[in-house]
Amino acid sequence: MPLRGRGGLRFAFYGRVSTEDYQDPVTSRARQHGQAEALVAGFGRIVAEFFDVGESRVLPWARRTQAAALVLAMADPDRAFDAIVVGEYERAFYGAQFSLMAPLFEHYGIQLWLPEVGGRVDFQVEGHEQLMISWGCSPSGRSPGSGCG
């Protein structure tokens, strides 16, 4: 995969913590950010951060403060990043959200990187899309196979 520029890809990190789970935002952010950094090591660096605190994963991106800001930033042709890295799939997507967001990522030429696929999500590979959908449909978001509905 070609790297953009001499320093590699520029990544925006997206993470989220919900107070429903009584999670410590500082600890959760550090863990998610650490996973994201490990994933992109050797490919680029994180140059921007968007982290929602107290926002449920069932809310669409447009209703999460930082996720909505990330979508706005994606539309900027002079944005500071080339790709988005997420520390954990379940922190970003729920239900059909991946299917709704993938066309936006493609439209703006933004790569999406997830630990669950070991790097870049290939939007053209049906297996990747089916895997993302099944994760979004599982109650915990941690494992595929539970189905939506």
Side-chain angles (χ1 to χ4, degrees):
M1 171 182 64
L3 298 180
R4 182 179 177 142
R6 301 183 113 227
L9 291 170
R10 301 167 303 160
F11 288 90
F13 163 70
Y14 177 73
R16 182 194 59 80
V17 64
S18 173
T19 56
E20 294 172 14
D21 302 325
Y22 302 104
Q23 296 176 334
D24 172 42
V26 174
T27 303
S28 183
R29 182 211 158 274
R31 181 179 41 77
Q32 292 176 54
H33 197 275
Q35 290 173 314
E37 284 181 325
L39 184 64
V40 304
F43 296 96
R45 67 190 193 294
I46 296 173
V47 298
E49 180 172 324
F50 300 84
F51 192 79
D52 279 311
V53 176
E55 306 271 5
S56 172
R57 72 186 186 121
V58 301
L59 290 175
W61 280 44
R63 292 187 50 210
R64 296 184 212 161
T65 307
Q66 292 296 304
L70 177 54
V71 171
L72 284 175
M74 285 174 22
D76 182 352
D78 296 320
R79 66 185 169 265
F81 57 91
D82 313 301
I84 295 169
V85 61
V86 174
E88 294 176 8
Y89 176 89
E90 70 184 75
R91 300 297 174 180
F93 303 105
Y94 177 77
Q97 290 174 0
F98 174 81
S99 296
L100 296 171
M101 293 301 300
L104 274 179
F105 298 140
E106 283 188 291
H107 174 76
Y108 292 119
I110 301 288
Q111 294 182 16
L112 176 65
W113 287 51
L114 296 169
E116 291 84 354
V117 296
R120 185 176 69 88
V121 174
D122 187 337
F123 299 116
Q124 304 306 314
V125 174
E126 186 176 331
H128 273 197
E129 181 176 4
Q130 291 305 315
L131 189 59
M132 299 303 122
I133 291 169
S134 65
W135 273 326
C137 292
S138 73
S140 69
R142 294 181 195 274
S143 60
S146 298
C148 289

